[in-house]
Amino acid sequence: MLTWGILGQLLWTGFAAATYYCLFAVAFSLVLKVNKIWNFAQAGVMVFAYYSLLVAFRHWGLPLVPALIFGLLITLAVSLALERCAFMVFRDRNSSILTLFIFTIVFSEFSVYLTELAFGTEPQTLYPSLLWPVDLYAGIAISHWDLMAIAVTAVLMLILYLFIHHTRYGQYLIAVADNENLAEIYGISRKRAYGVSISIAAVLITAGMYLFGTKAALFPSTPLQHLLIFAVIATILAGIGNVFRAGIAAIALSLIQAFSILVIASKWQALLAYILIFVVIIFFPRGFALPRRLSGLVRPSGRSAAVAVADPAGD
C-alpha cells in the first residue's frame, strides 16, 4: 500500500540523486552548444575525474579541498587536451561527425580499459564508508549527503547562470554558440570560447563525480554505460543546445527512475535508461518546448549575439 511516507521518500531520494545527473547533463549540453561536439568522450573524462579523486582520497589521504583541487586539475588537463589535440584537429581537417563520434567513443572505452588495468574491475567508493547522518522530517529520511549535494548543485548552477549572463566571457560563449564565424569578425576568439566551455564542463564533471562517489560505488564502466546515457537523454529531451533545460530534464529523468521502482524490479533499472533513450530519439527528437529563458544560452533579442557583445549599447 502506497503511503505519503513512501511517495515522499521516493520523491526526495530521486531529487537528491538528480544532482549529479543534472551536472553531467549541463556539462554535456554546454559543450554541444558552444563547441558543436557530441562529446561522448565525456564518459572518459568522468573516469579520469573519479579515479584521480580516488587516488587523492584513498591512496594519498588528502583532505577534502586539496583532493578536489587535484581531481579538478586532472580533469581540466584531460578536457583541454581533448579540445586542443583532438577536437581542434578534427575541425581544421573538416572531419565528419561520424569520425568525431567514433573517436569520442573509442576514447571513453580506452579510458575504461586503462582504469581497469590500474585499479581493477571492482566497484570503489571515494570514502571507506558511505554512511551519512540521517534526520527524519515528516517521516522522510533526509541525509546530510542529500543536503550537501543539493546545495553544491544549486550553487554551481547559479554561478554558471550568472557567468553566462553577466560576464564578458559568458557573452563570448553566447556569441560563439550563436555564430562562431561572425563572432570572430568582431574579435571574439572561438578557440578561447571552446576552452572556456570545456573547462566549465570539467568543473561540473569533477563536482558530479565527487557527489556520485560519496553516495555509491562506481565500476570503471559506469560512466559510459549509465551516467553518460542519462546526460544524452536529458540533452535531447531538453532540445539540443538548451543548457539549463538539460539540467531540468535530468532531474525529471531521475524522478522517473526513482518512482519506477514501484513497478519495475531493481534488476531492470539499467534497461529503463536504454528504453528512455529509444523513446526520446524516436518520439521527441526536438525535445519538449519550454520557456526560452530557461535554455541558458540564448541570442539577444533582435540582433546577433556577436553584434550585441561587440556593441552592447546598440549603436
Side-chain angles (χ1 to χ4, degrees), residues 97-236:
I97 295 176
L98 179 60
T99 301
L100 278 167
F101 171 77
I102 293 173
F103 171 80
T104 56
I105 291 295
V106 170
F107 174 82
S108 291
E109 291 281 7
F110 182 64
S111 300
V112 172
Y113 171 73
L114 286 180
T115 303
E116 290 178 343
L117 281 180
F119 298 94
T121 59
E122 296 300 317
Q124 300 193 56
T125 60
L126 295 183
Y127 294 152
S129 173
L130 297 182
L131 296 177
W132 291 78
V134 175
D135 299 311
L136 287 177
Y137 296 94
I140 298 175
I142 299 177
S143 75
H144 290 194
W145 181 92
D146 298 339
L147 300 177
M148 174 196 68
I150 292 172
V152 167
T153 302
V155 168
L156 287 175
M157 291 299 97
L158 177 60
I159 292 174
L160 178 58
Y161 181 86
L162 294 175
F163 174 82
I164 289 175
H165 292 283
H166 298 284
T167 71
R168 198 69 170 173
Y169 276 104
Q171 295 300 298
Y172 291 165
L173 295 186
I174 295 176
V176 172
D178 177 43
N179 189 322
E180 57 189 16
N181 294 321
L182 184 60
E184 289 219 317
I185 292 175
Y186 282 91
I188 299 171
S189 170
R190 72 174 78 182
K191 291 182 180 180
R192 182 175 298 174
Y194 295 155
V196 171
S197 171
I198 209 159
S199 296
I200 293 172
V203 173
L204 300 179
I205 289 169
T206 304
M209 294 313 293
Y210 171 75
L211 294 180
F212 186 95
T214 53
K215 178 67 172 180
L218 183 94
F219 290 91
S221 59
T222 299
L224 182 59
Q225 295 181 353
H226 180 68
L227 300 180
L228 181 66
I229 290 175
F230 261 71
V232 174
I233 296 173
T235 297
I236 298 174

Side-chain angles (χ1 to χ4, degrees), residues 70-93:
F70 174 76
L72 177 58
L73 290 176
I74 296 297
T75 309
L76 279 170
V78 173
S79 299
L80 290 172
L82 274 171
E83 170 57 38
R84 296 183 181 180
C85 300
F87 300 155
M88 188 179 299
V89 173
F90 288 129
R91 290 191 197 95
D92 292 341
R93 294 176 179 174

